[in-house]
Amino acid sequence: GDELLEIETDKVTNFYEAEYDGVLRRRIGEEGTIYPVGALLGVVAEAGVSDEEIDGFIREFAGPAEAAEDTPSPAPAPMAGYAPAPAPNVETQLAALKHEISPIAARVALAEGVDLSRVVATGRLGRISLADVEKAAGRPLGAKARRANVSPRARKLALEKGVDLSSVHGSGHAGRIHAADVVVAANRPAMGVRPLAGNVHVGAAASRAEANSAMRRTIARRLVQSKTTAPHIYLRASIAMGEAMRLREGLNKRLSSKVSINDLLVRAAGLALVETPEVNVQYTDDSTLYFDQADICVAIALPQGLVAPVLRGVDKKPVTQIAEEIRALAERARAGGLTSDDLAGGTFSVSNLGMFGIESFDAVINPPQAAILAVGAITDKAVRVDGRIDLQPSMSVTLSCDHRAIDGAAGARYLASLKALLENPVSLMI
């Protein structure tokens, strides 16, 4: 149940807990180093296992480098002379959950009497984590829970820099404090910012420096990849939103939960993908992949960067369900509770900056997808109606397409379908 290490993927930090009792006898993985999935990072064994046996185990371990290219790396076999400790009593009592709950979460839940039927799992591989149990209970549970909310590296860095961890905002899962958060706090003293020694540019001294988080580095890498490998073309359209706004107003008068214009937009974006499948694609060097289902990534802005969790099967869901799922994803994103499954996949993206007053913009494609829809604010525009000029609410959208996979005519057909759906929004309710 002890946390052995944390593994950062593109935008999610996973915490790995010891599944058996033992001693961390050999630390192989180096902090800050990138490893392929399946790599050997360390060896846990009983204290009585000899160093020679551990060395032999490491030599014989079939890691990803030695495995066949199309064969997944096998998990290491148990070491000779080492048997896992018997499962603790709590795991016996929670046997029905099998591996769906982490060991420490199971112990805390049983000790604190938390009803696991009320717990929403957001942990690695869909497991119930300690943070999930705490959220269901509405409070931190035990000293270990509070200690686990700070990474070991962040705790060491805070001691070195004299940073009070109680004043640090954690950007990780469930508010977990990482080293980058400590660096930010250290560079933001209570009475102002700390000036940097020297100039980073001739004539301009930076006022402070913030270490780039793993999320920010990933965003930078993926955007450069997108702009340098995918030839972007941009198609723009203006959509009359009067009927959609009236539909939303009518729905919200009848429904207990509210529906936003963005919810209607995501639903329309999904239906338009089904009507123009040549846009619901991904490009590879060997082929173009077509998808029957509209799995849409919805961009959510966070203080530490942008995330785009996936709303799956948008074309098959009613607007009310889409609204509930988007709200849930946004809440989990702000709480640092998104899982790798939430961010995996997606065939199309929607980025809406209209709520910030941005009237139009060009979005960068989210690889390996081939298109993204940028949505601006709804503003009143002058239009000619029956020989007179009238003001009508209108919304500007820009479709960014990977020209390797999507021709301009295909993108134009998609925007025409989207426009028809939003200007006649009753079809969104079917």
Side-chain angles (χ1 to χ4, degrees), residues 281-306:
V281 298
Q282 292 179 5
Y283 176 86
T284 71
D285 291 336
D286 298 323
S287 60
T288 298
L289 309 178
Y290 289 80
F291 300 91
D292 296 329
Q293 179 171 290
D295 294 341
I296 295 183
C297 295
V298 181
I300 299 173
L302 302 176
Q304 60 270 33
L306 189 74

Side-chain angles (χ1 to χ4, degrees), residues 350-387:
V350 172
S351 180
N352 189 346
L353 293 180
M355 65 283 294
F356 298 105
I358 301 300
E359 294 187 12
S360 67
F361 67 103
D362 300 338
V364 181
I365 296 168
N366 181 19
Q369 298 170 18
I372 182 172
L373 184 71
V375 183
I378 297 176
T379 58
D380 287 336
K381 291 188 178 180
V383 295
R384 183 180 293 275
V385 180
D386 298 329

Side-chain angles (χ1 to χ4, degrees), residues 31 83 128 139 162 257 267:
E31 184 174 5
I128 295 175
R139 67 186 191 281
S257 59
R267 166 72 169 161

Side-chain angles (χ1 to χ4, degrees), residues 161-378:
K161 294 182 175 291
V163 174
D164 180 7
L165 288 173
S166 65
S167 64
V168 178
H169 172 73
S171 62
H173 176 69
R176 185 174 175 84
I177 297 173
H178 294 292
D181 302 321
V182 176
V183 172
V184 170
N187 286 321
R188 287 178 177 169
M191 298 306 292
V193 297
R194 176 185 302 167
L196 295 175
N199 293 336
V200 294
H201 188 275
V202 175
S207 60
R208 59 187 172 88
E210 293 185 8
N212 290 329
S213 65
M215 179 184 293
R216 178 55 59 189
R217 293 195 302 270
T218 298
I219 291 172
R221 173 175 53 80
R222 289 173 64 84
L223 291 183
V224 170
Q225 172 195 353
S226 179
K227 289 292 284 186
T228 54
T229 61
H232 285 51
I233 58 170
Y234 304 100
L235 306 173
R236 312 181 201 285
S238 182
I239 301 174
M241 294 297 292
E243 291 298 324
M245 294 173 71
R246 282 187 283 274
L247 174 64
R248 172 183 176 265
E249 184 179 356
L251 287 173
N252 288 343
K253 286 181 179 178
R254 298 194 304 269
L255 300 174
S256 56
S257 59
K258 301 301 181 183
V259 171
S260 70
I261 289 293
N262 191 64
D263 301 328
L264 295 173
L265 174 68
V266 171
R267 166 72 169 161
L271 292 177
L273 284 177
V274 175
E275 293 181 4
T276 53
E278 60 268 37
V279 174
N280 199 27
V281 298
Q282 292 179 5
Y283 176 86
T284 71
D285 291 336
D286 298 323
S287 60
T288 298
L289 309 178
Y290 289 80
F291 300 91
D292 296 329
Q293 179 171 290
D295 294 341
I296 295 183
C297 295
V298 181
I300 299 173
L302 302 176
Q304 60 270 33
L306 189 74
V307 293
V310 184
L311 199 65
R312 306 186 193 280
V314 170
D315 53 302
K316 302 179 180 68
K317 294 176 179 177
V319 171
T320 50
Q321 183 177 351
I322 290 173
E324 291 174 359
E325 292 188 11
I326 290 178
R327 275 195 295 272
L329 285 172
E331 289 175 2
R332 285 162 57 189
R334 285 188 286 267
L338 291 178
T339 67
S340 54
D341 288 339
D342 292 326
L343 300 171
T347 62
F348 186 86
S349 291
V350 172
S351 180
N352 189 346
L353 293 180
M355 65 283 294
F356 298 105
I358 301 300
E359 294 187 12
S360 67
F361 67 103
D362 300 338
V364 181
I365 296 168
N366 181 19
Q369 298 170 18
I372 182 172
L373 184 71
V375 183
I378 297 176

Side-chain angles (χ1 to χ4, degrees), residues 76-102:
M79 291 182 56
Y82 171 62
N89 186 51
V90 64
E91 295 180 15
T92 301
Q93 297 183 47
L94 300 172
L97 289 173
K98 298 181 180 178
H99 296 295
E100 296 173 7
I101 185 170
S102 71

